[in-house]
Amino acid sequence: MVYAISLNKQVGITNPVVLIEKPQVDPIEQESFYITLSDAIKREWLVRLNFFEEANVAKLELASFEDSEAFVGRGIVREMDLVPFQMDTKTQEILFRDIFGQIYFVQFDEIINIELL
């Protein structure tokens, strides 16, 4: 008998201690992200992407005295090696694919850093 492990299941954020505010990114640096992404999409380059992922407040393991409203807008910075393949300029959403073929949606304003590999 063969058992398969799903690769789509991502580990959610449940510990409120690791949550941070969204880092601010310079608008000039964001412009360079756009240029880098455009080139990477054309050539199907692998990029190392650092992006902010907001935590789902409903899934946090909070103590009885902690208020969930205090953690709204907080999250973690994830780092992944992905290949961008489509950018929607209207919604500012970029589609990325990992080496297993899983697709990730990332908003442009959530990108903290991007570098070509």
Side-chain angles (χ1 to χ4, degrees), residues 6-55:
S6 174
L7 296 174
N8 329 9
K9 189 173 182 181
Q10 288 191 352
V11 178
I13 307 162
T14 59
N15 187 357
V17 175
V18 299
L19 301 180
I20 60 170
E21 292 288 327
K22 182 178 177 182
Q24 296 296 319
V25 180
D26 185 35
I28 295 171
E29 193 172 10
Q30 279 188 331
E31 189 174 329
S32 72
F33 294 165
Y34 181 81
I35 294 167
T36 303
L37 279 170
S38 298
D39 289 343
I41 290 171
K42 289 178 192 172
R43 295 169 180 83
E44 296 183 1
W45 283 338
L46 183 69
V47 298
R48 178 157 294 142
L49 181 71
N50 293 331
F51 62 97
F52 181 77
E53 182 180 345
E54 190 171 335

Side-chain angles (χ1 to χ4, degrees), residues 90-107:
K90 293 178 184 170
T91 61
Q92 293 191 345
E93 193 171 73
I94 300 113
L95 300 177
F96 292 91
R97 186 178 299 127
D98 67 3
I99 59 171
F100 300 112
Q102 183 175 353
I103 296 174
Y104 298 88
F105 300 91
V106 178
Q107 289 292 115

Side-chain angles (χ1 to χ4, degrees), residues 59-103:
K59 294 187 178 183
L60 292 177
E61 296 173 356
L62 301 174
S64 60
F65 58 86
E66 291 179 310
D67 183 19
S68 62
E69 294 295 318
F71 299 101
V72 173
R74 304 189 102 197
I76 61 169
V77 175
R78 290 209 188 267
E79 181 178 292
M80 301 179 84
D81 294 341
L82 303 167
V83 176
F85 66 93
Q86 186 178 357
M87 184 178 348
D88 187 356
T89 55
K90 293 178 184 170
T91 61
Q92 293 191 345
E93 193 171 73
I94 300 113
L95 300 177
F96 292 91
R97 186 178 299 127
D98 67 3
I99 59 171
F100 300 112
Q102 183 175 353
I103 296 174

